[in-house]
Amino acid sequence: GITLRPVPRPTPPDPVALSHFVNARLHELQGHRDQAITSLRAAIAIDTKSATLYGALARNLAALERYAEAALPANKSLQRNANDLQVRWIYYESLLKGLGDTTLALEQLESIARRDPEPIKALDRMLKIHDARNDSTSVLRTLDRISALPGLEEGGKLIAAQNYQIRGENSKAEQLIQNVLNRNPARGDAWVKLANLQVVRGDT
C-alpha cells in the first residue's frame, strides 16, 4: 500500500551566478557597496529566480539610501519568500522614503505585525503614519492593538496611556495606568499620571 515517488532535488545554483554572489558578499563585508551592487546585478542577470539575490541587492541599495531603486528588488525578493522580515522592512523603508507611498508602506507594516512575534516596532511605525495623516480612527485602533499586546512593558503602557489621553480617551488611559500600578505600586510617575486624569474628570 506504499507508493514510492521520486523526491525532487533542489536545483543547484548556477556556478557563475554563485561566483558573482560570493564576490558581492565580500565587497559588502568590506564596505564596497557599489561593487557589491554590480556583482549582484550580474548574478541576477543569470539567475532571475533567487530571493536571496534580490534581497541582497535591495539591502545594499538601501544601505546607500538609494531607496527608490531598492523597492523593486525588495518586492521581487518578497514575491519569492514572503516571510523574510528583514527584506520586508527594507521594502517598507523604500516605499516610504524612496517612493513616498504611505499606503503601500502601511500594508507592509501590517504584514510585518502579523508575522513578527514582537510586533511593537511595526505597530509604533503605523501609529506615527496614521498620526501624520490625522487619521484619528486608525490611530485609536492601532493604540488598542498596542495596549493589548501581552508582552507590553510598563513604559509602553504609560506611553500608550499618554497617547490615549491626548486624544480624549481618558478612560482607556486610566485603565492602562491602573494596570501598571496593580503590578508595580511603587511606580511614582504612574501615580502622577493617574492623579492628573482624576483631576480632568473632576474627582479632586
Side-chain angles (χ1 to χ4, degrees), residues 66-86:
R66 291 160 61 177
Y67 293 109
E69 293 178 65
L72 181 59
N75 187 25
K76 288 188 174 183
S77 178
L78 291 170
Q79 288 173 7
R80 292 155 177 80
N81 181 11
N83 293 318
D84 191 327
L85 291 181
Q86 182 186 28

Side-chain angles (χ1 to χ4, degrees), residues 18-98:
L18 180 60
S19 176
H20 284 306
F21 174 69
V22 172
N23 287 336
R25 190 72 181 116
L26 292 172
H27 288 312
E28 183 180 352
L29 291 172
Q30 294 167 359
H32 303 150
R33 300 281 184 177
D34 286 315
Q35 291 170 281
I37 290 167
T38 300
S39 293
L40 287 165
R41 284 182 169 150
I44 289 171
I46 299 167
D47 183 355
T48 61
K49 297 180 179 180
S50 171
T52 301
L53 292 177
Y54 284 116
L57 178 57
R59 182 175 68 247
N60 280 278
L61 287 167
L64 294 176
E65 298 186 357
R66 291 160 61 177
Y67 293 109
E69 293 178 65
L72 181 59
N75 187 25
K76 288 188 174 183
S77 178
L78 291 170
Q79 288 173 7
R80 292 155 177 80
N81 181 11
N83 293 318
D84 191 327
L85 291 181
Q86 182 186 28
V87 174
R88 199 168 288 280
W89 273 111
I90 292 171
Y91 189 38
Y92 155 75
E93 295 282 356
S94 301
L95 290 167
L96 194 66
K97 297 179 181 179

Side-chain angles (χ1 to χ4, degrees), residues 2 7 26 37 39 49 78 99 123 133 137 168 175-176 185 188:
I2 297 175
V7 178
L26 292 172
I37 290 167
S39 293
K49 297 180 179 180
L78 291 170
L99 303 182
L123 292 172
R133 288 172 140 191
T137 302
Q175 184 178 358
L176 276 175

Side-chain angles (χ1 to χ4, degrees), residues 11 31 55 69 84 97 107 131 133 159 189:
T11 304
E69 293 178 65
D84 191 327
K97 297 179 181 179
E107 287 183 9
D131 194 29
R133 288 172 140 191
I159 291 171
D189 57 337

Side-chain angles (χ1 to χ4, degrees), residues 113-182:
R114 288 197 308 268
R115 288 176 166 87
D116 196 334
E118 296 182 1
I120 181 65
K121 180 181 175 182
L123 292 172
D124 181 62
R125 299 286 179 88
M126 290 170 67
L127 186 67
K128 287 180 171 63
I129 293 175
H130 291 314
D131 194 29
R133 288 172 140 191
N134 293 317
D135 186 348
S136 299
T137 302
S138 296
V139 166
L140 291 173
R141 190 185 306 122
T142 307
L143 278 171
D144 289 344
R145 292 174 68 181
I146 291 173
S147 59
L149 291 174
L152 189 63
E153 298 178 352
E154 291 179 5
K157 290 179 180 179
L158 293 179
I159 291 171
Q162 182 178 353
N163 277 279
Y164 275 130
Q165 185 175 0
I166 290 170
R167 289 161 181 85
E169 295 288 331
N170 292 342
S171 60
K172 290 184 177 181
E174 189 168 339
Q175 184 178 358
L176 276 175
I177 294 170
Q178 290 280 17
N179 181 274
V180 170
L181 289 171
N182 288 340

